[in-house]
């Protein structure tokens, strides 16, 4: 965390079990290879008993191995790394009775100190990557999930997808089948950008605008922790993981989000309700005093 970097990238990673689950099946890692490239990865494991934890950890370990001995272009390295992780998690699951059927998501970003305008992302599943550029937050990965596809086909609204019973069903994951299709892409990179990788325990609990506000206004260490705290405050129904990368340079040409970043939408609604309650009590108090004054005054 926060390792020195030739280009001055600042990173912070936080993972938390959340408020409901008894184990944390998410995992997160960051690595530097001999050429000075940086790799950040978030994995969200699934599978009964120890399966999810083993899947996410095994996946990250295998990705790191491929990255450390990487040759070739970055896109190929990322694709090869995720395919190798798929093979290892799949084989381990097949060979170990208690781990059969385990799987994991993976979202990975690679930064090369020699490339000043590019970063690389690869993913499988519904863990996401985001880019904040000049105040605007964009999701740079498309979930490989059933609900995401239904929304894309306009058979579900985003609101329906949020509460749909099949919202956790993945169309692709690492370790479940002998082969896997990996999405990779090049991403624009500019001074002052912030990138965030996260599991669905974060993006499912904290809305887009709040994430943008925190990314724009906080340093990585404070902000990553704040996002995890917000997810927990909003319910923490799943494991929560945030990995944050800040690119040095002129930042934050944007005005900050109108709502204080510390308040999530749900939390703000609670606060407004409490404020209305207090206001009502004050008005009622004034009315009682006025009435008493009238009654006493007329007597
Ligand atoms: Ca999850």
């Amino acid at each position: 965390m926060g390792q020195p970097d030739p280009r001055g990238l600042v990173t912070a990673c936080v993972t938390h079990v959340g408020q409901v689950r008894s184990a944390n099946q998410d995992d997160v890692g960051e690595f530097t290879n001999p050429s000075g490239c940086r790799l950040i990865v978030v994995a969200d494991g699934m599978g009964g008993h120890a399966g999810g934890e083993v899947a996410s950890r095994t996946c990250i370990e295998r990705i790191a191995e491929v990255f450390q001995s990487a040759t070739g272009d970055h896109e190929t390295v990322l694709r090869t790394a995720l395919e190798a992780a798929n093979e290892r998690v799949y084989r381990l699951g097949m060979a170990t009775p208690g781990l059969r059927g385990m799987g994991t998501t993976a979202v990975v970003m690679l930064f090369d100190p020699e490339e000043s305008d590019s970063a690389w992302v690869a993913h499988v599943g519904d863990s996401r990557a985001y880019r904040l550029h000049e105040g605007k937050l964009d999701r740079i990965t498309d979930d490989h999930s059933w609900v995401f596809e239904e929304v894309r086909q306009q058979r579900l609204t985003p609101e329906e997808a949020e509460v749909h019973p099949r919202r956790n069903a993945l169309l692709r994951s690492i370790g479940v089948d002998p082969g896997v299709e990996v999405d990779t892409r090049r991403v624009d990179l500019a001074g002052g950008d912030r990138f965030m990788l996260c599991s669905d325990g974060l993006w499912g609990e904290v809305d887009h605008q709040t994430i943008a506000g925190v990314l724009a206004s906080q340093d990585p260490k404070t902000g990553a922790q704040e996002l995890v705290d917000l997810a927990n405050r909003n319910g923490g129904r799943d494991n929560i993981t945030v990995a944050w990368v800040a690119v040095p340079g002129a930042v934050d040409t944007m005005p900050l989000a109108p709502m204080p970043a510390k308040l999530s939408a749900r939390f703000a609604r609670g606060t407004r309700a409490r404020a209305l309650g207090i206001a009502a009590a004050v008005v009622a108090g004034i009315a009682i005093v006025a009435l008493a004054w009238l009654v006493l005054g007329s007597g």
Side-chain angles (χ1 to χ4, degrees), residues 25 31 58 61 125 180 188 213 220 237 266:
Q25 301 191 321
F31 308 93
T58 305
E61 284 170 0
V180 69
D188 285 337
R237 288 163 292 185
R266 238 174 274 180

Side-chain angles (χ1 to χ4, degrees), residues 29-176:
E30 59 176 306
F31 308 93
T32 305
N33 77 3
S35 346
C37 292
R38 295 283 291 273
L39 181 130
I40 321 279
V41 52
V42 166
D44 172 356
M46 62 211 86
H49 307 291
E53 279 171 81
V54 174
S56 56
R57 192 178 62 241
T58 305
C59 171
I60 291 181
E61 284 170 0
R62 187 68 185 117
I63 288 170
E65 285 172 12
V66 173
F67 172 67
Q68 292 297 353
S69 55
T71 52
D73 66 277
H74 299 320
E75 200 160 12
T76 305
V77 167
L78 290 180
R79 186 183 306 282
T80 308
L82 268 66
E83 287 170 353
N86 182 75
E87 190 183 343
R88 182 170 290 176
V89 175
Y90 178 73
R91 280 172 184 239
L92 188 61
M94 292 301 280
T96 320
L99 302 178
R100 190 171 283 257
M102 69 177 175
T104 182
T105 71
V107 59
V108 186
M109 282 199 78
L110 188 155
F111 298 85
D112 181 343
E114 304 291 321
E115 292 182 13
S116 59
D117 61 353
S118 299
W120 299 86
V121 61
H123 83 293
V124 171
D126 68 352
S127 296
R128 293 179 173 178
Y130 291 86
R131 179 192 188 206
L132 184 89
H133 174 68
E134 294 184 348
K136 186 169 176 293
L137 183 68
D138 286 315
R139 177 174 44 73
I140 54 177
T141 52
D142 288 342
D143 302 345
H144 302 137
S145 70
W146 184 83
V147 289
F148 191 91
E149 218 36 57
E150 291 299 296
V151 171
R152 203 212 301 264
Q153 305 282 340
Q154 302 189 329
R155 289 192 288 260
L156 283 180
T157 66
E159 293 72 29
E160 288 167 338
E162 259 182 43
V163 295
H164 198 281
R166 290 193 69 190
R167 66 186 177 279
N168 293 322
L170 295 183
L171 299 179
R172 291 191 222 170
S173 49
I174 284 188
V176 174

Side-chain angles (χ1 to χ4, degrees), residues 222-236:
T222 313
Q225 186 61 53
E226 183 164 322
L227 287 173
V228 169
D229 291 347
L230 283 167
N232 271 317
R233 216 181 295 162
N234 286 346

Side-chain angles (χ1 to χ4, degrees), residues 193-264:
D193 281 355
R194 273 99 170 82
F195 292 92
M196 184 184 72
L197 308 180
C198 65
S199 62
D200 63 338
L202 189 277
W203 63 254
E205 298 284 18
V206 185
D207 66 77
H208 194 88
Q209 198 51 44
T210 304
I211 293 173
V214 175
L215 281 174
S217 61
Q218 303 286 349
D219 66 275
K221 197 160 168 248
T222 313
Q225 186 61 53
E226 183 164 322
L227 287 173
V228 169
D229 291 347
L230 283 167
N232 271 317
R233 216 181 295 162
N234 286 346
R237 288 163 292 185
D238 199 354
N239 306 144
I240 309 154
T241 303
V242 173
W244 174 317
V245 181
V247 184
V251 194
D252 313 318
T253 49
M254 88 177 253
L256 291 184
M259 189 175 71
K262 280 185 188 282
L263 303 180
S264 73

